[in-house]
């Protein structure tokens, strides 16, 4: 289809259809935004790590799978169908996540967690309910497929120990022709009929319809024969009301960011700005579908990732709009300017999105918990931006300029002449500025100290909602007496609900059991004098779990830097790729340090938000640097004899408007997030957005003032 009214109508109809599908869904396979799968930080719920107890060795894979079956069975009996139960075979534990039911008011995470980890009780009973054999007497249950006369049958083979063999022989002798019930935690899992007396410690259960059914039964029996119970001192919980409030705030923040960015784009870039708003809407809707269709869990950081992607995706439209402005300045026709603008912008768009996508993939591999959701939404945003955002906007503009009204140059921004800024000659000023920032940050580290969050060190943080002011001194004293651990108690007010939040932090890096947490809750309520304190959020983790997360964080940051250096080295071989890659990495390290200092100076403990911010800023900053390198590469092709310092000055000046405007739009998104999170006390987002804002500022600064000048210094020294 050629550009014109028909293509424009097809594009708008397509966008309208996608928006409708995103809102209302399409059958059972495509869920709408109202049926999305939200994480426990939005819906409220529990995440816990269960580990074997009283076991002097590492559990086998089969034992872990059997233990998982115990948890699955217990969750079935509690009608908890919406859950995730995964086994970490290397570490030897089981991770359980499940949200609270819709409308849940009786928020009691301690009981739920405790029940899941109790020792599995397997029993064989007669029709009267008398226990004949216990799980400890079963050595193994194995699913088998038997073939006789060409007919396949599926059975479960049982092996008993010596005591179990005798008990089973006696039981089957008495129950010939009757049923023997096999129970797990008083739930009947099989009820076979005894055909004859069985001796020798070997038996089979028949009647399975397929191998999967036999395998499931064998796993349940093996689970009941486990030599250990499951226990957790690593868990986090959040109440539904707290999560729902945070979701509403994030949605409004996203809408506000979208409106402000659209106004900016329309006022500054005119008709291309209007097109940018339409394509941004399309990209956001497709991102939502990419989350809802596979029912990928969306968390608060995931929503933050979508909002941040909004700011970063508009960068593509800014690059294209700036390129169109350049072509119009040269005297090209409107159509020629549009075609050339998209063609010249593509390499920058491609490299920028690929590098950010690399960072998002690394974050998904090494990140943990809610940061996986952030990495996924960021990755989807980059892919959608590259594959859809560019092509749709191009065909929209080409279709619109078929009309005389839109083909007028007044509907576009024409770049004005700019005096070349001597960035290279000001390199020492930039060195002083960067040196001052880094030295100030180092001084801040000595003054404030570097704090690691409980996520990395281990520890316990509990949050309660209370209806009135409480005596924090008495509460602290009572909890310290109960736990024999130093305690910090603070009260904050939720500006959205008006409720006060009581925060309890237990010193030391040890976790706690659900029973200990319940004891603390009882202590708080007895001190207040009534059952006023309602548990709204907990985070409890053992130090070795935190140490693993810290190692993964360091590996993610280092790996992303290495990947980016290699990518830039390959893509920019025309301008000495190695020097371009290394100087870009130096600029990135500069940005990482600034983000680190922001965490330190604002006394935000380092956690997985730090990893997400650092990796995002690495992707954002290298995107900015690549745009400058791309213009350097282009200008060198046009004039290979241009001095290196002049080349850097001209190229950086030409891309300055794009760098500033992109930072402004992304900064607006993050600033709106930051203001909302600070006002409404959403700490998980505040700890993410505040350092991110400084990261965006330093990312813009380092790309303009550090990366290019360092590359020029390298090249000039090499040329001597």
């Amino acid at each position: 289809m050629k550009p014109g009214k028909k293509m424009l109508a097809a594009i708008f109809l397509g966008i309208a259809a996608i928006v409708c599908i995103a809102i209302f869904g399409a059958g059972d396979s495509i869920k709408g935004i109202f049926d999305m799968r939200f994480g426990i930080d939005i819906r409220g719920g529990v995440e816990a790590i269960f580990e074997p107890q009283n076991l002097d060795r590492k559990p086998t894979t089969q034992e872990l799978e059997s233990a998982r079956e115990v948890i699955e069975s217990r969750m079935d009996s509690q009608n908890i169908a919406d859950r995730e139960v995964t086994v970490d075979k290397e570490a030897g534990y089981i991770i359980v996540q499940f949200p609270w039911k819709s409308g849940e008011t009786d928020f009691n995470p301690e009981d739920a967690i405790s029940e899941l980890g109790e020792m599995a009780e397997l029993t064989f009973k007669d029709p009267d309910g008398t226990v004949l054999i216990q799980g400890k007497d079963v050595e193994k249950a194995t699913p088998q497929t038997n073939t006789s006369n060409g007919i396949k049958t599926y059975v479960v083979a049982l092996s008993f120990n010596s005591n179990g063999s005798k008990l089973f022989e006696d039981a089957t002798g008495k129950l010939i022709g009757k049923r023997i019930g096999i129970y797990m935690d008083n739930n009947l899992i099989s009820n076979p009929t005894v055909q004859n007396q069985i001796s020798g410690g070997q038996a089979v259960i028949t009647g399975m319809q397929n191998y999967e059914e036999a395998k499931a039964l064998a796993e349940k029996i093996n689970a009941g024969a486990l030599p250990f119970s499951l226990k957790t001192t690593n868990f986090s919980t959040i109440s539904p009301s707290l999560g729902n409030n945070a979701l509403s705030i994030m949605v409004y923040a996203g809408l506000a960011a979208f409106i402000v960015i659209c106004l900016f784009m329309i006022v500054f870039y005119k008709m291309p700005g209007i097109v940018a708003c339409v394509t941004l809407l399309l990209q956001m809707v497709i991102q939502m579908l990419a989350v809802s269709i596979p029912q990928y869990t969306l968390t608060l950081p995931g929503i933050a990732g979508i909002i941040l992607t909004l700011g970063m995706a508009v960068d593509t439209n800014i690059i294209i709009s700036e390129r169109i402005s350049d072509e119009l300045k040269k005297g090209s026709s409107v159509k020629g300017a549009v075609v050339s603008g998209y063609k010249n912008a593509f390499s920058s768009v491609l490299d920028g999105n690929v590098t950010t996508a690399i960072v998002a993939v690394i974050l998904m591999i090494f990140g943990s918990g809610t940061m996986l959701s952030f990495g996924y939404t960021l990755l989807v945003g980059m892919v959608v931006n590259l594959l859809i955002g560019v092509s749709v906007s191009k065909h929209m503009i080409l279709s619109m300029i078929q009309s005389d009204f839109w083909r007028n140059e007044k509907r576009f921004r024409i770049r004005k002449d700019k005096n070349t800024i001597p960035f290279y000659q000001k390199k020492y000023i930039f060195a002083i500025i960067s040196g001052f920032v880094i030295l100030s940050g180092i001084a801040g580290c000595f003054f404030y100290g570097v704090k690691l969050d409980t996520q990395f060190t281990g520890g316990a943080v509990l949050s309660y909602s209370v209806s009135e002011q409480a005596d924090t001194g008495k509460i602290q004293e009572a909890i310290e007496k109960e736990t024999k651990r130093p305690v910090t108690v603070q009260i904050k007010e939720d500006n959205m609900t008006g409720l006060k939040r009581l925060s309890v932090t237990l010193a030391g890096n040890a976790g706690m059991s659900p029973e200990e947490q319940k004891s603390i809750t009882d202590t708080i309520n007895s001190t207040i004098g009534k059952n006023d304190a309602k548990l709204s959020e907990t985070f409890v983790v053992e130090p070795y779990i935190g140490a693993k997360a810290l190692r993964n964080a360091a590996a993610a940051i280092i790996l992303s830097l290495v990947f980016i250096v290699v990518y830039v080295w390959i893509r920019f071989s025309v301008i000495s790729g190695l020097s371009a890659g290394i100087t870009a990495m130096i600029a990135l390290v500069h940005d990482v340090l600034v983000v680190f200092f922001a965490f330190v100076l604002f006394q935000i403990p380092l956690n997985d938000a730090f990893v997400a911010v650092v990796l995002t800023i690495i992707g954002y900053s290298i995107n900015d640097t690549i745009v400058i390198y791309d213009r350097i590469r282009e200008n060198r092709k046009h004039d290979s004899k241009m001095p290196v310092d002049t080349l850097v000055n001209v190229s950086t000046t030409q891309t300055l408007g794009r760098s500033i405007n992109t930072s402004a739009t992304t900064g607006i998104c993050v600033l709106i997030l930051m203001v909302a999170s600070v006002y409404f006390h959403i700490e998980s987002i505040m700890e993410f957005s505040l350092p991110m804002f400084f990261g965006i500022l330093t990312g813009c600064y380092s790309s303009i003032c550090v990366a290019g000048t360092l590359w020029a210094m390298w090249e000039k020294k090499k040329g001597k």
Side-chain angles (χ1 to χ4, degrees):
M1 187 183 297
K2 292 183 178 180
K5 292 182 179 179
K6 290 184 178 180
M7 176 175 284
L8 201 59
I11 290 174
F12 278 108
L13 285 174
I15 293 174
I18 293 173
V19 170
C20 288
I21 291 172
I23 295 175
F24 303 108
D28 296 331
S29 57
I30 300 179
K31 304 289 186 181
I33 57 176
F34 299 107
D35 297 317
M36 293 180 67
R37 182 184 178 89
F38 292 112
I40 63 171
D41 58 346
I42 295 175
R43 297 179 62 183
V46 173
E47 178 177 353
I49 297 177
F50 288 92
E51 302 169 273
Q53 296 297 301
N54 305 317
L55 195 66
D56 55 359
R57 57 176 173 79
K58 186 177 179 179
T60 65
T61 299
Q62 184 178 357
E63 287 175 334
L64 286 171
E65 289 294 339
S66 296
R68 180 191 61 77
E69 184 63 36
V70 171
I71 293 177
E72 293 270 17
S73 297
R74 287 174 177 165
M75 298 180 88
D76 283 337
S77 66
Q78 296 179 26
N79 296 318
I80 304 176
D82 187 6
R83 80 255 183 156
E84 293 181 17
V85 183
T86 54
V87 174
D88 189 326
K89 298 176 182 178
E90 181 180 348
Y93 49 67
I94 300 168
I95 305 168
V96 178
Q97 292 179 309
F98 62 93
W100 296 110
K101 298 176 185 177
S102 177
E104 179 77 59
T105 56
D106 187 13
F107 187 76
N108 195 338
E110 297 96 341
D111 288 347
I113 296 171
S114 297
E115 290 174 10
L116 293 179
E118 290 176 352
M119 176 79 82
E121 184 181 20
L122 177 75
T123 53
F124 291 70
K125 299 180 180 179
D126 63 18
D128 296 326
T130 304
V131 176
L132 305 173
I133 311 163
Q134 294 180 315
K136 63 182 180 180
D137 296 317
V138 180
E139 287 187 341
K140 191 176 182 181
T142 307
Q144 292 181 354
T145 302
N146 296 333
T147 303
S148 178
N149 297 326
I151 300 175
K152 285 186 177 181
T153 57
Y154 305 95
V155 302
V156 174
L158 297 178
S159 299
F160 296 89
N161 59 23
S162 56
N163 185 55
S165 298
K166 184 177 184 302
L167 292 174
F168 192 68
E169 183 178 355
D170 293 341
T172 52
K174 297 176 182 177
L175 295 176
I176 294 175
K178 298 181 181 179
R179 294 187 177 273
I180 181 169
I182 306 175
Y183 291 81
M184 173 74 76
D185 297 334
N186 294 321
N187 295 318
L188 184 67
I189 61 175
S190 184
N191 197 26
T193 301
V194 178
Q195 303 294 337
N196 46 55
Q197 187 175 22
I198 302 172
S199 60
Q202 303 292 325
V204 293
I205 303 173
T206 60
M208 300 327 129
Q209 297 297 317
N210 49 51
Y211 183 81
E212 287 69 28
E213 184 180 344
K215 182 174 180 290
L217 177 58
E219 286 177 347
K220 290 179 180 179
I221 294 173
N222 286 328
L226 286 175
F228 55 79
S229 61
L230 297 167
K231 184 179 180 182
T232 179
T233 52
N234 301 272
F235 59 92
S236 59
T237 67
I238 187 169
S239 69
S241 59
L242 188 63
N244 288 331
N245 289 337
L247 175 61
S248 300
I249 294 166
M250 294 296 290
V251 169
Y252 288 127
L255 290 174
F258 182 77
I259 292 171
V260 172
I261 284 178
C262 285
L263 289 174
F264 176 90
M265 291 296 294
I266 293 171
V267 170
F268 202 86
Y269 290 108
K270 303 181 182 178
M271 191 266 273
I274 296 173
V275 173
C277 295
V278 175
T279 54
L280 285 175
L281 174 63
L282 175 62
Q283 288 176 245
M284 287 188 68
V285 170
I286 292 176
Q287 271 191 281
M288 301 301 288
L289 284 173
V291 174
S292 63
I293 290 176
Q295 286 292 282
Y296 196 92
T297 301
L298 184 64
T299 64
L300 288 178
I303 298 174
I306 293 175
I307 297 173
L308 178 64
T309 302
L310 175 66
M312 297 180 72
V314 81
D315 174 55
T316 296
N317 296 280
I318 290 176
I319 292 174
I320 294 169
S321 299
E322 289 286 340
R323 284 290 193 169
I324 293 174
S325 298
D326 290 344
E327 295 300 318
L328 290 172
K329 179 64 180 176
K330 295 176 183 178
S332 300
S333 65
V334 170
K335 183 176 181 181
V338 170
V339 173
S340 298
Y342 273 89
K343 180 181 178 181
N344 295 333
F346 184 74
S347 60
S348 294
V349 172
L350 174 65
D351 290 328
N353 280 273
V354 168
T355 50
T356 305
I358 288 172
V359 169
V361 170
I362 292 173
L363 181 59
M364 291 179 66
I365 294 172
F366 289 95
S368 60
T370 55
M371 287 303 106
L372 290 174
S373 179
F374 173 78
Y376 178 77
T377 54
L378 187 63
L379 175 62
V380 170
M382 295 303 99
V383 174
V384 171
N385 183 40
L386 185 60
L387 298 181
I388 296 177
V390 176
S391 60
V392 171
S393 65
K394 179 180 179 180
H395 286 96
M396 279 191 67
I397 292 181
L398 288 175
S399 296
M400 292 174 72
I401 62 176
Q402 300 298 313
S403 165
D404 292 337
F405 178 82
W406 293 111
R407 198 163 53 245
N408 194 323
E409 287 187 359
K410 293 181 180 180
R411 309 293 177 235
F412 294 81
R413 175 179 175 269
I414 302 177
R415 186 172 62 83
K416 297 178 180 179
D417 287 326
K418 291 181 181 178
N419 295 324
T420 300
I421 301 172
F423 287 99
Y424 180 80
Q425 285 71 25
K426 297 179 182 293
K427 58 183 178 294
Y428 295 114
I429 296 176
F430 301 144
I432 291 171
I433 293 173
S434 296
F436 175 76
V437 170
I438 291 173
L439 289 175
S440 299
I442 293 172
C445 292
F446 282 105
F447 184 78
Y448 292 109
V450 179
K451 300 178 182 178
L452 294 178
D453 193 82
T454 52
Q455 194 168 38
F456 287 160
T457 63
V461 180
L462 315 178
S463 180
Y464 298 84
S465 62
V466 291
S467 59
E468 58 186 43
Q469 194 71 28
D471 189 331
T472 56
K474 287 185 178 180
I475 293 173
Q476 177 177 326
E477 183 180 350
I479 297 175
E480 287 180 343
K481 183 177 179 181
E482 176 69 24
T483 63
K484 306 297 189 294
R485 292 169 65 175
V487 175
T488 301
V489 179
Q490 295 177 309
I491 285 189
K492 302 175 183 178
E493 185 170 342
D494 190 324
N495 290 324
M496 187 168 187
T497 62
L499 293 175
K500 294 177 175 60
R501 293 178 60 192
L502 181 72
S503 177
V504 179
T505 304
L506 281 79
N509 55 10
M512 67 167 59
S513 67
E515 292 78 14
E516 291 170 328
Q517 177 180 287
K518 190 173 183 179
S519 175
I520 292 174
T521 303
D522 293 339
T523 299
I524 293 173
N525 281 317
S526 63
T527 304
I528 294 176
K530 56 182 179 178
N531 292 328
D532 185 56
K534 303 296 183 182
L535 189 64
S536 60
E537 190 174 7
T538 67
F539 188 83
V540 182
V541 64
E542 288 285 357
Y544 62 89
I545 301 291
K548 179 182 178 182
L550 184 59
R551 289 193 300 270
N552 285 345
I557 293 171
I558 293 171
L559 192 60
S560 63
L561 289 172
V562 172
F563 264 96
I564 286 173
V565 170
V566 173
Y567 184 84
V568 173
W569 184 357
I570 295 171
R571 286 287 292 165
F572 291 90
S573 57
V574 174
I575 60 170
S576 301
L578 180 60
S579 60
I582 292 178
T583 51
M585 186 182 72
I586 294 172
L588 292 178
V589 171
H590 171 280
D591 299 335
V592 170
L593 287 174
V594 171
V595 170
F596 172 73
F597 295 146
F599 271 86
V600 172
L601 295 178
F602 287 96
Q603 300 184 56
I604 302 173
L606 302 185
N607 52 19
D608 59 2
F610 170 74
V611 183
V613 171
V614 166
L615 291 179
T616 304
I617 290 303
I618 286 174
Y620 172 84
S621 181
I622 194 62
N623 189 5
D624 212 353
T625 302
I626 279 174
V627 172
I628 297 174
Y629 281 173
D630 185 66
R631 190 61 68 95
I632 291 173
R633 177 174 57 186
E634 182 180 324
N635 288 331
R636 171 164 278 186
K637 288 180 180 179
H638 293 320
D639 186 356
S640 60
K641 296 182 179 180
M642 185 184 295
V644 171
D645 51 351
T646 304
L647 180 63
V648 167
N649 292 339
V650 170
S651 302
T652 307
T653 301
Q654 290 174 343
T655 57
L656 185 61
R658 173 265 158 201
S659 297
I660 293 174
N661 289 342
T662 295
S663 297
T665 53
T666 310
I668 287 169
C669 290
V670 175
L671 188 61
I672 290 173
L673 274 177
M674 182 176 69
V675 171
S677 63
V678 170
Y679 184 78
F680 293 109
H681 299 298
I682 311 177
E683 292 186 7
S684 62
I685 302 302
M686 187 274 291
E687 293 173 354
F688 169 88
S689 58
L690 181 60
M692 179 72 76
F693 184 74
F694 287 94
I696 288 170
L697 296 180
T698 186
C700 180
Y701 164 79
S702 69
S703 297
I704 296 171
C705 304
V706 177
T709 53
L710 284 177
W711 176 81
M713 291 172 64
W714 182 310
E715 291 298 297
K716 285 177 73 72
K717 186 175 181 180
K718 187 172 66 175
K720 289 182 179 179

